[in-house]
Amino acid sequence: MKYILTSLLVLTLFISCNSNDDPKKTDYTVENEKEIVDYIAKNKLTAQRTDSGLYYVINESGDGAQPTSSSNVTVAYKGYYSNGNVFDQSKAAGISFGLNQVIKGWTEGIPHFKIGGSGILLVPSHLGYGPFDYSGIPGGSVLIFDVKLISVN
């Protein structure tokens, strides 16, 4: 009987020590919002916030056509974190893609620009890659993009 009780106690301790009381975080909304708001304040930006939590800054309004969320566009960009570390960058000529083929932050954000326009997209993780690591980008990351809309194709 003593052996059974000891075994049950050890088993209980083992299970409780291995239980995941802190499961991998999946919702970074509060942290992302603070990080973006702090970045905007630190850099003295005038940003607009959408209902989804995307922030965007229009530096140059542009004077051409304005894309829709399903347009094919050519955009020059630089992607970086709020600490300034760059994770991706296009050539000055930009790259072309369908806005329905990219992260939600781009699908929603690029239509705020007109051809020739430029600015910044501040993308919370739920509009980027979510809680998952992706191509070296840590899950939960706020992504910041300097963008210039070259054309709507």
Side-chain angles (χ1 to χ4, degrees):
M1 181 73 168
K2 184 176 179 181
Y3 176 75
I4 293 172
L5 288 175
T6 303
S7 296
L8 285 174
L9 180 60
V10 169
L11 182 61
T12 303
L13 286 172
F14 179 75
I15 291 170
S16 66
C17 287
N18 280 332
S19 70
N20 198 355
D21 293 334
D22 186 30
K24 181 160 172 82
K25 188 169 179 122
T26 59
D27 185 1
Y28 293 87
T29 305
V30 173
E31 295 92 334
N32 286 177
E33 181 75 12
K34 180 178 181 345
E35 184 177 339
I36 291 170
V37 169
D38 289 351
Y39 182 87
I40 289 168
K42 178 182 173 188
N43 292 282
K44 298 180 173 90
L45 300 174
T46 302
Q48 302 296 315
R49 184 184 188 280
T50 69
D51 291 340
S52 71
L54 174 75
Y55 284 82
Y56 66 94
V57 176
I58 305 290
N59 292 332
E60 295 178 47
S61 33
D63 56 9
Q66 201 161 355
T68 67
S69 61
S70 60
S71 294
N72 186 289
V73 296
T74 302
V75 176
Y77 71 92
K78 178 173 78 172
Y80 52 98
Y81 305 110
S82 61
N83 66 8
N85 290 344
V86 175
F87 60 82
D88 195 15
Q89 187 167 0
S90 72
K91 296 184 188 254
I95 62 167
S96 297
F97 51 85
L99 286 175
N100 56 355
Q101 300 171 323
V102 292
I103 61 172
K104 292 176 184 177
W106 278 56
T107 303
E108 180 183 348
I110 297 297
H112 290 286
F113 299 92
K114 294 179 182 175
I115 293 175
S118 65
I120 304 168
L121 297 177
L122 299 110
V123 181
S125 62
H126 71 275
L127 297 176
Y129 298 107
F132 308 103
D133 295 350
Y134 180 81
S135 292
I137 297 172
S141 293
V142 168
L143 307 176
I144 303 173
F145 296 93
D146 293 339
V147 297
K148 179 172 179 75
L149 180 57
I150 297 170
S151 66
V152 177
N153 309 321

